Structure formats: structure tokens, C-alpha cells
Amino acid sequence: MTALTLSTAAAPGLRADAIVIGVAKGAQGPVAAPGAEAVDKAYDGRLAGVLETLGASGAEGELTKLPAPAGFKAPLVVAVGLGAQPAGKDGEDGEDGDAYDAEALRRAAGVAARALAGSKKAAFALPIDGPGAIGAIGEGILLGAYSFDTYKGNAQDAGNGKAKNGKAPLAEAALLGGRPRDAAHKGALARAVAVCEELNRARDLINTPPNDLTPAAFAGIAQAAAKEHGIKVQVLDEKALVKGGYGGILGVGGGSAATPRLVKLSYTHPKAEKHLAFVGKGITYDSGGISLKPAGHNETMKCDMSGAAAVFAAVVAAARLGLEVNVTGWLALAENMPSGSAVRPGDVLRMYSGKTVEVLNTDAEGRLVLADALWAASQENPDAIVDVATLTGAMMLALGSRTFGVMANDDAFRSAVHEAAEEVGEPAWPMPLPEHLRKGMDSSVADIANMGERMGGGLVAGLFLREFVGEGITWAHLDIAGPAFNEGGPFGYTPKGGTGSAVRTLVRLAELTAAGDLG
């Protein structure tokens, strides 16, 4: 991953491949953002005009390259759009030193880092007004520079810094204006590194083909990480699941030669007063089972374990940050395949909770594995449970490909989760759990069916999950079906493929809980 440093060096004398500056969209055209003063001075105060001549407007995601001015040791200036210029303190546009939105900085840094693939070092002279900006820029660089090249070209020595196919990610980034001896600045950068390393690990898992990432393989990766970071881990294999009565996980995984697993990761802190449980859907490949998905809907189904990847990453990140909160992660891992031993439409499963479920559609499998894991998490009576899942196509129809839905059994907690997501730059939207939709899941042969009314299917799935949350436990459900996997081109700091959606939201929830600011 890209190495990050803080630097008080002046931009002209810094040896680097490029100097990255910000440009905002002002009322009269592009405006050089704070941090670009040295470059502007070297252009005799005409930097904004030069950028406008080159077609720059300061719009978000825009990138303009120009030769560095005389006297600079770096040969290239990269101007990246920050979007609308923030209002001045007196209500007017554009005073130097005004705070730029953290997400704008994060996205701009991501665009620049991706564009600088193949470079050894870049200096980022973006607006920094405190630790928050440093954290945002650091995250943008680390997430934007991400690439997944494991299966490309011939294997080469990872230590030689060469890409297997194409350009290697940006090797080093210096954040100009960051103070190396300032504890708050160093802390913000260290947090960015810990969170982004784990988020990028989640991306790697999501991008790994399902022939290599089976439930057993995923469990092994979790065990190795747990050992490295002092996290307790328990893995229930097929025999243990049978003994424990985990009918949902066993039913979904019964059609595959790759047997299911339930992984429990427990991070504890001696000073913790609160306990959070995170539950992740981990379908390492989803064919739909007997209710086979139609052609054109199978190719990206390796991403159906994105929820478990997010939970795994968040627990490890919490441990690395030493948060004063106990966090338990539950990874419900199975492969949903059709075979002679697969669960059939019409079968009835007895879940870990003791409830019976009539399976009307085997492609509604995520809620079945989550149901067992939610009930297992409930037995420890945590202060709150948050589950994460690529659960329904209906949520994508409702919210598109970049926003996840948030449902909960407590309105205040739903709002808190939504606010945490927006705070860290993950678009989310609160969704209801209408009681009238519950009746559609009534079954004549079981306690509940795994399908209900077609309209509002994402909400129906949330109502199903609510049935398996212990009484009196605060719970939220994140349906990340839209943003978990980007099938289009990269944007901001988001790559093509696995995105690591919800990792930062979960980490932020853990931080707020540790600080006593969540519930």
C-alpha cells in the first residue's frame, strides 16, 4: 500500500514526481485552493487563469496536468477538482483557510492517487486545516491508489515494487502542511492507515474468485488475522454447525462441496463498557441455488460475501486502533449452489433460534444465514447489533448503485447509524420496516416463509431478519447490495470491483460507542 508521510517542506524544493494541488469551482471560474500558494506564486499569481485555459473548472473528479513552474524540483503539477468553493466566514464565497468538506478532499486525493499510478513519490498540497483534513486526504490516497493484481500476468517478487501487469500503485505520498511532530496529525494519519489497510483487505477478499475464496479459505484468513492482532477466534465447521442446530447456514451451504462455516471474532478491551456485535453475510458464491439466477446475473456473485468482508475488516480495524469497546464479529459463510443435496423450494428449515422457515426461493439465502448468526449474536446480549449484507436487488432498485439502505428496530439508532455513515463519506438512507408487510411472510407449514410481497422486497427482508434478533436488543440492518461492488469505471477513491462498503461506517460506530456518544 502507498506509504504516507507528513511534511512541512516547501513544495518547490521537494523532490517528487508530482505536486498535487486543489482547484475549486468558484463563481467566476476555477480558484486555486489553500495549499497551492507556492505554485500560484511561481505562476505569477496566474495559476487559476492557466488552469481555466487548459479547460479546468474545479468540478469534482476533474484532473488537469501541467508542467511545474521554474524552480520546482518536481516536474509535474496535478490539479484536482474539489467541487464548489466553500462559503467564506462572512457568508461570501472564497476566503483562504475556509474548511473544505472532508469527503471532497477524500475524493480529490483518490482521483490524484489513481492518476499517479507508476510514480514513486507525490507531494499532496491540498487544503489542510487540522487533523480531520489529514485523515480524509490520507484515506483518499490509500483507497484511490488501490489495485487488485493478484491474478494478472506472471507472478513476480512483491518486494520489487513492480506491477504484474500495468503500472504499480503510487509508492509514496507526502502530505504537505501536516506536522510530523504534532500528536493529533500523526494520530489522524495512523488511523487512516489502519482503517484503509483493513478496508483494502476487504476489497481483496471481495475481488478474489470463488474457486479460491471458499468458506473454509475465508475462515482461514480470518484466523490468521485474528492471531496477528490479538483477536479471539472461533470457527464452527460443518460438524459443529450440525451439532449446534444452525439450520439456516447448513441449508444454504448444503448444495456445495465447499462446506459452510460460522466464524466468531472477538475483540475486547479491558476498559470497555459497551459491546457491539457486527454480523456479516458471507455467501462466497451465489448461484441462486435451485432457484437459479438467470444468465447475466451470476458473473459478479463472488461479491455476495461483501458484508462478511466488511465485518471482518471492521473488527480488525477496531483492534488495531485499540478502541475502548468490545466488538464481536460474526461471519456467516456458505456457498449457494444447486445439486442433489441443495435445499429446495418448499423445504422447511429449523433455524438456530428454533423457529422454522419455509424456503419459497433458494435465492433468498442471505437472510437464512444471517438469521442463524443474528440469533447467535443475540445470545451474548450486546448493547447493539448491526448486520451488513448484499441482501436484495430491491434495495438497488430503490437507492441505486452508490447508496445503502439502513433499517432498524429503533428509530434513534437508525438515525445514528445513518449519520455515522454520512460522516465518513458512505452514502446511506434510512428505510422503514412497515408492519403490514410482515403478513406476506406468513406460512401455512412453518413459523415464517423466507419470501413475502414482491413490492418492497428490501423492506420485507429487513422484517424477516428482525424476527431473529433477541428481545430488547437494539439492531440495525445495512443492505449494501448497491455500493458493495462497482461494475462501472472507477470514481473518486472507489475502484472498479469490490469497494469495501460499510467498513468505515462500522468503525465509526465502534469509535462513537467507545467515546460514549452512541446510545
Side-chain angles (χ1 to χ4, degrees):
M1 207 166 71
T2 305
L4 299 183
T5 58
L6 299 173
S7 176
T8 57
L14 194 66
R15 293 188 182 279
D17 296 302
I19 305 293
V20 178
I21 61 171
V23 54
K25 192 172 185 178
Q28 305 300 321
V31 177
E37 293 85 358
V39 178
D40 188 37
K41 181 179 179 181
Y43 273 102
D44 297 324
R46 298 182 307 216
L47 176 60
V50 171
L51 290 170
E52 188 170 23
T53 299
L54 293 173
S57 68
E60 182 182 303
E62 184 180 77
L63 186 137
T64 306
K65 295 181 179 180
L66 61 159
F72 275 63
K73 292 185 177 180
L76 180 70
V77 171
V78 175
V80 62
L82 293 167
Q85 187 180 26
K89 296 176 182 178
D90 59 0
E92 298 179 359
D93 284 346
E95 290 186 357
D96 283 354
D98 292 343
Y100 278 76
D101 178 71
E103 182 64 3
L105 295 174
R106 197 178 286 119
R107 291 175 179 173
V111 169
R114 184 169 57 254
L116 289 167
S119 300
K120 292 182 178 180
K121 184 176 181 178
F124 282 71
L126 295 174
I128 290 179
D129 65 345
I134 287 174
I137 295 168
E139 288 178 6
I141 294 169
L142 296 177
L143 298 179
Y146 172 83
S147 66
F148 184 71
D149 299 317
T150 303
Y151 295 85
K152 291 182 178 180
N154 296 319
Q156 294 185 21
D157 179 10
N160 65 13
K162 295 181 180 178
K164 294 179 181 179
N165 185 14
K167 296 179 180 179
L170 172 65
E172 182 183 349
L175 278 64
L176 303 189
R179 298 190 293 272
R181 297 183 180 181
D182 186 293
H185 285 205
K186 289 193 297 182
L189 199 65
R191 179 193 180 279
V193 170
V195 173
C196 292
E197 282 185 349
E198 297 312 319
L199 193 154
N200 283 339
R201 193 208 301 253
R203 289 173 168 179
D204 285 348
L205 287 168
I206 298 164
N207 289 326
T208 298
N211 57 318
D212 281 350
L213 191 72
T214 62
F218 196 153
I221 292 169
Q223 286 176 306
K227 182 178 180 180
E228 180 183 356
H229 296 288
I231 300 169
K232 292 183 180 179
V233 61
Q234 179 184 11
V235 177
L236 300 185
D237 61 12
E238 187 177 26
K239 291 182 179 178
L241 292 169
V242 170
K243 184 177 180 180
Y246 292 86
I249 298 174
L250 288 166
V252 173
S256 174
T259 55
R261 299 288 189 274
L262 178 62
V263 179
K264 177 185 177 184
L265 298 165
S266 302
Y267 161 68
T268 58
H269 192 284
K271 295 183 180 179
E273 296 182 355
K274 296 285 186 178
H275 175 199
L276 287 179
F278 297 150
V279 177
K281 172 188 174 184
I283 304 300
T284 56
Y285 181 73
D286 181 20
S287 70
I290 297 297
S291 305
L292 192 67
K293 292 180 183 292
H297 291 75
N298 300 83
E299 290 78 4
T300 61
M301 282 299 101
K302 64 182 181 180
C303 79
D304 214 17
M305 37 59 67
S306 296
V311 166
F312 168 48
V315 175
V316 177
R320 291 182 60 174
L321 295 173
L323 302 181
E324 291 186 15
V325 58
N326 294 335
V327 182
T328 304
W330 299 84
L331 316 181
L333 309 176
E335 186 176 67
N336 187 24
M337 294 289 285
S339 75
S341 59
V343 66
R344 296 153 291 218
D347 283 355
V348 174
L349 303 177
R350 185 170 295 278
M351 313 298 281
Y352 181 56
S353 68
K355 286 185 178 181
T356 54
V357 176
E358 181 184 10
V359 179
L360 299 180
N361 187 325
T362 65
D363 195 24
E365 85 298 329
R367 65 199 70 182
L368 299 175
V369 300
L370 285 174
D372 276 355
L374 282 168
W375 189 253
S378 296
Q379 303 317 294
E380 297 188 342
N381 198 34
D383 293 284
I385 299 175
V386 180
D387 77 70
V388 187
T390 47
L391 206 59
T392 65
M395 195 56 57
M396 296 178 68
L397 291 173
L399 298 178
S401 62
R402 297 191 185 185
T403 304
F404 62 74
V406 183
M407 286 155 263
N409 60 3
D410 179 274
D411 289 347
F413 189 59
R414 181 185 62 189
S415 296
V417 173
H418 175 225
E419 290 170 6
E422 293 289 340
E423 180 184 349
V424 299
E426 296 196 309
W429 196 253
M431 303 291 282
L433 290 173
E435 293 298 333
H436 71 273
L437 291 176
R438 169 61 182 84
K439 185 173 177 57
M441 290 184 285
D442 287 347
S443 168
S444 61
V445 298
D447 295 322
I448 190 172
N450 78 328
M451 292 291 288
E453 294 184 29
R454 180 171 177 269
M455 299 301 175
L459 312 182
V460 171
L463 287 164
F464 179 91
L465 295 178
R466 190 182 65 178
E467 298 277 326
F468 297 90
V469 177
E471 186 175 354
I473 298 176
T474 301
W475 156 80
H477 161 56
L478 312 185
D479 190 335
I480 62 170
F485 197 84
N486 176 28
E487 296 188 56
F491 59 92
Y493 51 84
T494 302
K496 183 178 177 65
T499 66
S501 177
V503 172
R504 288 179 293 142
T505 296
L506 295 181
V507 173
R508 187 60 186 147
L509 289 173
E511 289 176 326
L512 291 169
T513 302
D517 295 331
L518 187 72

